[in-house]
Amino acid sequence: MAIRNIRIMGDKVLEKKCRTVEAVTPRIRQLAEDMLETMYDAYGVGLAAPQVGILKRLVVIDVDGEHPYILINPEILETSGEVTAYEGCLSLPGKSGLVTRPEKVKVRAFDLDMNPFELEAEGLLARAVCHECDHLDGIMYTEHVEGPLRDNDYQEDEEEE
Ligand code: NI
């Protein structure tokens, strides 16, 4: 495994629509492993492939440090409820902003064996799924932010996606 360089907002790769993963090659498997390691290294709870410069529909999420998810070609099927909370992004370090997201989501994705599965998520996991899926369409959370971004350098427990 290897830690990859996280692209910072302003990098054009973060504004592009990602391509569908057609098959899990050794290269894709390596990418998923590296993304998890990169996310943990940066104390993040989610990371999307374009954040490491790869325009493929692949995201990794782990909101509690114990349940890593790898979602290939994720597609949000259903959402319900609304929650407004601060959220951040590893591609915009030290900042966060208020974003309204669904309280619950049902997402369909493929695993590393290209088997489809569905995940029902709520709370922070639902927020992370929405945030990471947005990255695959070139959307940063700043497009949804209500009010100004805040500086959170002093908050060590901030969760960044
Ligand atoms: Ni992000």
Side-chain angles (χ1 to χ4, degrees), residues 46 51 88-91 131-132 135 140-141 161:
Q51 292 182 275
C89 180
L90 292 175
S91 292
H131 177 115
E132 301 313 331
H135 273 303
M140 288 283 294
Y141 81 94
E161 299 151 12

Side-chain angles (χ1 to χ4, degrees), residues 30-149:
Q30 185 69 55
L31 172 63
E33 288 177 10
D34 288 355
M35 282 172 59
L36 276 172
E37 188 175 7
T38 302
M39 178 186 76
Y40 290 131
D41 179 68
Y43 301 102
V45 299
L47 191 68
Q51 292 182 275
V52 293
I54 308 290
L55 290 169
K56 299 266 192 197
R57 303 190 80 82
L58 168 61
V59 310
V60 298
I61 296 171
D62 187 347
V63 297
D64 61 8
E66 291 179 11
H67 298 92
Y69 292 102
I70 295 169
L71 306 181
I72 295 172
N73 302 334
E75 191 183 342
I76 292 173
L77 302 177
E78 287 173 26
T79 67
S80 64
E82 273 189 356
V83 182
T84 303
Y86 277 98
E87 101 183 32
C89 180
L90 292 175
S91 292
L92 189 53
K95 301 283 185 188
S96 62
L98 276 177
V99 180
T100 299
R101 298 283 191 186
E103 183 185 9
K104 295 182 181 179
V105 302
K106 185 196 274 190
V107 62
R108 182 175 186 267
F110 295 85
D111 66 17
L112 284 176
D113 296 315
M114 273 315 233
N115 292 318
F117 66 97
E118 286 183 6
L119 172 66
E120 293 194 37
E122 59 181 274
L124 181 57
L125 183 56
R127 177 171 295 273
V129 166
C130 295
H131 177 115
E132 301 313 331
C133 286
D134 270 355
H135 273 303
L136 302 181
D137 290 322
I139 298 167
M140 288 283 294
Y141 81 94
T142 49
E143 292 189 33
H144 303 302
V145 160
E146 299 153 38
L149 290 176

